[in-house]
Amino acid sequence: MAKDILGMDRKGLSNLTLNELEQKMREEQFDDNLIKDLMEVLKQRLIKYGESEFQKWLYNLNFRCPEEFQNESLALEFYERNHAWIEEQTAKLEQETNISWLVQAEDLKDYNINARKVQLVIRHRLSEIVLELI
């Protein structure tokens, strides 16, 4: 298999498209409004950086919060539009890991509590989807 200079399998990266991401979000029963909001953020990143860089960025995301959600006001707006799903997923993450969401989000301590929940849930669920696609 051909590998690029970063050692990434190009075939695996080719699965990291907006369509594949959206399809996987639907399979994972993400809320429709959340999918729309998240896809808009991802689409803007794709437009700004191009397909290859977008795919590399997703590949390297690895349970880090996307930069766009590090903007506290954006994260809070996202929470306001999607609060029910964010709260549901925060509780699910606690059950899945047996770790309080506060502990899981310790690296996000400088943010508003709702922004931290958004950042935690998005980084975790988006990273899971990427890992499944590659």
Side-chain angles (χ1 to χ4, degrees):
M1 263 182 217
K3 303 237 182 203
D4 70 9
I5 58 172
L6 297 175
M8 290 182 262
D9 178 351
R10 294 303 307 165
K11 186 171 189 261
L13 287 181
S14 68
N15 291 334
L16 300 179
T17 65
L18 291 180
N19 286 339
E20 291 290 330
L21 291 166
E22 183 174 359
Q23 180 180 342
K24 198 65 168 165
M25 286 180 207
R26 292 196 186 288
E27 287 174 19
E28 298 294 328
Q29 300 178 338
F30 280 36
D31 180 79
D32 286 339
N33 290 328
L34 179 119
I35 292 172
K36 182 182 173 213
D37 288 348
L38 189 53
M39 292 304 295
E40 185 57 36
V41 170
L42 295 173
K43 181 180 176 183
Q44 292 307 313
R45 177 170 276 277
L46 174 66
I47 290 168
K48 184 174 181 179
Y49 294 104
E51 184 175 20
S52 179
E53 289 302 313
F54 174 75
Q55 291 170 331
K56 288 177 189 174
W57 170 78
L58 277 172
Y59 179 88
N60 289 309
L61 194 57
N62 198 25
F63 294 94
R64 286 179 300 150
C65 183
E67 293 86 351
E68 291 83 354
F69 292 98
Q70 292 177 18
N71 176 318
E72 188 173 22
S73 61
L74 175 74
L76 287 172
E77 288 174 25
F78 196 87
Y79 180 86
E80 289 303 317
R81 289 190 306 274
N82 303 287
H83 67 281
W85 190 84
I86 294 295
E87 291 295 337
E88 173 188 306
Q89 292 301 310
T90 301
K92 279 186 174 181
L93 282 173
E94 287 183 320
Q95 290 174 338
E96 292 168 9
T97 63
N98 290 322
I99 300 171
S100 156
W101 80 267
L102 289 167
V103 172
Q104 294 180 60
E106 281 181 343
D107 59 318
L108 307 169
K109 63 184 173 197
D110 294 333
Y111 294 104
N112 170 287
I113 194 167
N114 293 332
R116 291 170 63 198
K117 287 179 180 180
V118 167
Q119 293 164 335
L120 174 67
V121 169
I122 295 301
R123 77 177 177 190
H124 197 91
R125 295 303 186 217
L126 188 56
S127 292
E128 287 177 333
I129 286 173
V130 168
L131 289 172
E132 288 181 35
L133 290 173
I134 57 173

